[in-house]
Amino acid sequence: MSLTLLPDLGDLLRLHPQLNAGTVVELLRHLQKNGGAGPEVLWASGPDPDHPLRDALPAAGFGIRELPLALPDVEAEYAQLVSFLNQYPQGRERLRAAAQAEQAFAAVLTAPLTLPLALGPEVQEAARAYHSAIREALGEGPGTRWHERRLDAVAAALADVADGVVLAPLDDLPGLLDRLPAARLPDLTGFTPGETSRLRALADRAWQLREDDDLGALLDALDRESGDAVTPRAELDAAAAGIYLAVGDLAGARALLERAAHALTDDVPRSLPGVVLARLGQVRDAQGERELAVRTYRVLLALNHAPAFTREVAEAGLREAFRLEM
């Protein structure tokens, strides 16, 4: 076993049907089966507590070990640079060039992605070009130094690690490969995304309703599935409840949410109870059951973990009853 670098897309994992949290889980299972992964993942990605893989990995049986990264707070330094550059025409031109580089790379990340594409030369070169363009636009200094510091910190944390799987932002991979000669990208030979990836893609899609969606077909697809560890039946019910709520069917939404709430166990992804209870509290409020809604919000706020947006829903619900606007 050697040091393997996995690409992380953060919240964009919710966007790509063929490269989502379930896909990453399946890749880890594939690597583990072939002796290329252990029971835990070394986390070199961002600190976001609501990252989709912070749910999916433990639910699938993989531990997360945070790398000890001693990173300085560069936000204030960068804000000072932006403020300075905005004072001068040439500075504003530099900021526009940096923004164009960010937009170009964002277009790469939001186009349909698969693991072979994300790890392929075209996307990896786009990551290098992105950071090179930022350096050219802003020069060596507060605008770019943060990335070099980050790469150096990750490399230092991994200096004595001989093997394992490291999750790192996709655009960090080229720089980490330069700094860690023994590291490599995962071998995708024989790997094909399967049911875990497909189910995760279905749920992600159901949470992102669009005006032109065939809601009936989406409900039928959710109803046919029994779920798995990463995307349990309770989440599929909660996602389906969101569709009922979108069309104003409070009774249908409530029935599914209460079924989902009764199915919550210690084994479900850690964010799911908060998501279910936030939506259930709103539905009970909309049906005029204020006391029950308030109790639901309070149960949510007592959870050990709930996504930030669900806590905001609960806090708002305690201040004022939720009303459905159609």
Side-chain angles (χ1 to χ4, degrees), residues 21-308:
T23 318
V24 175
V25 164
E26 289 187 318
L27 176 59
L28 283 167
R29 289 170 177 162
H30 172 79
L31 295 174
Q32 194 173 53
K33 182 180 178 181
N34 291 282
E40 67 178 8
V41 173
L42 300 171
W43 190 278
S45 197
D48 179 11
D50 298 331
H51 190 297
L53 285 173
R54 291 191 184 273
D55 274 357
L57 295 181
F62 290 97
I64 293 175
R65 178 151 63 96
E66 306 276 350
L67 286 180
L69 304 181
L71 292 170
D73 182 5
V74 297
E75 289 186 9
E77 189 179 64
Y78 183 73
Q80 189 175 28
L81 170 70
V82 171
S83 176
F84 173 77
L85 291 177
N86 267 319
Q87 297 178 47
Y88 306 99
Q90 287 183 329
R92 290 193 291 272
E93 184 59 35
R94 284 177 174 268
L95 290 174
R96 280 194 291 270
Q100 289 172 356
E102 290 175 353
Q103 290 169 2
F105 190 53
V108 172
L109 296 182
T110 54
L113 277 181
T114 63
L115 267 172
L117 280 174
L119 296 172
E122 185 175 340
V123 171
Q124 292 298 303
E125 183 53 40
R128 287 188 185 275
Y130 161 60
H131 287 293
S132 176
I134 294 292
R135 283 193 298 273
E136 184 176 346
L138 300 181
E140 298 290 344
T144 56
R145 194 161 51 223
W146 65 270
H147 189 242
E148 296 301 313
R149 286 174 175 173
R150 172 178 169 73
L151 293 174
D152 289 344
V154 173
L158 294 171
D160 297 324
V161 179
D163 55 45
V165 174
V166 182
L167 184 80
L170 184 147
D171 61 301
D172 279 3
L173 297 189
L176 289 177
L177 289 170
D178 291 341
R179 287 164 171 78
L180 298 165
R184 61 181 176 83
L185 298 179
D187 181 1
L188 299 181
T189 303
F191 173 71
T192 303
E195 286 299 295
T196 297
S197 179
R198 185 187 64 81
L199 265 179
R200 188 62 255 162
L202 173 61
D204 287 340
R205 182 66 185 81
W207 288 118
Q208 303 171 48
L209 295 181
R210 301 168 189 165
E211 288 187 3
D212 59 347
D213 279 340
D214 184 336
L215 299 183
L218 196 49
L219 283 172
D220 287 343
L222 291 166
D223 188 55
R224 283 195 299 268
E225 305 296 342
S226 57
D228 66 5
V230 173
T231 310
R233 178 70 244 178
E235 182 178 356
L236 299 174
D237 283 340
I243 298 174
Y244 280 103
L245 193 58
V247 298
D249 184 346
L250 291 172
R254 180 169 178 167
L256 285 169
L257 287 167
E258 289 184 341
R259 186 167 78 180
H262 285 123
L264 296 175
T265 67
D266 291 340
D267 297 326
V268 301
R270 66 175 191 161
S271 293
L272 184 56
V275 172
V276 171
L277 292 174
R279 188 61 60 84
L280 182 56
Q282 289 181 321
V283 168
R284 287 170 169 172
D285 244 348
Q287 289 186 314
E289 296 190 35
R290 179 62 179 160
E291 184 178 344
L292 188 55
V294 166
R295 289 208 302 268
T296 307
Y297 297 139
R298 286 177 175 160
V299 170
L300 187 161
L301 292 172
L303 294 173
N304 290 331
H305 172 80

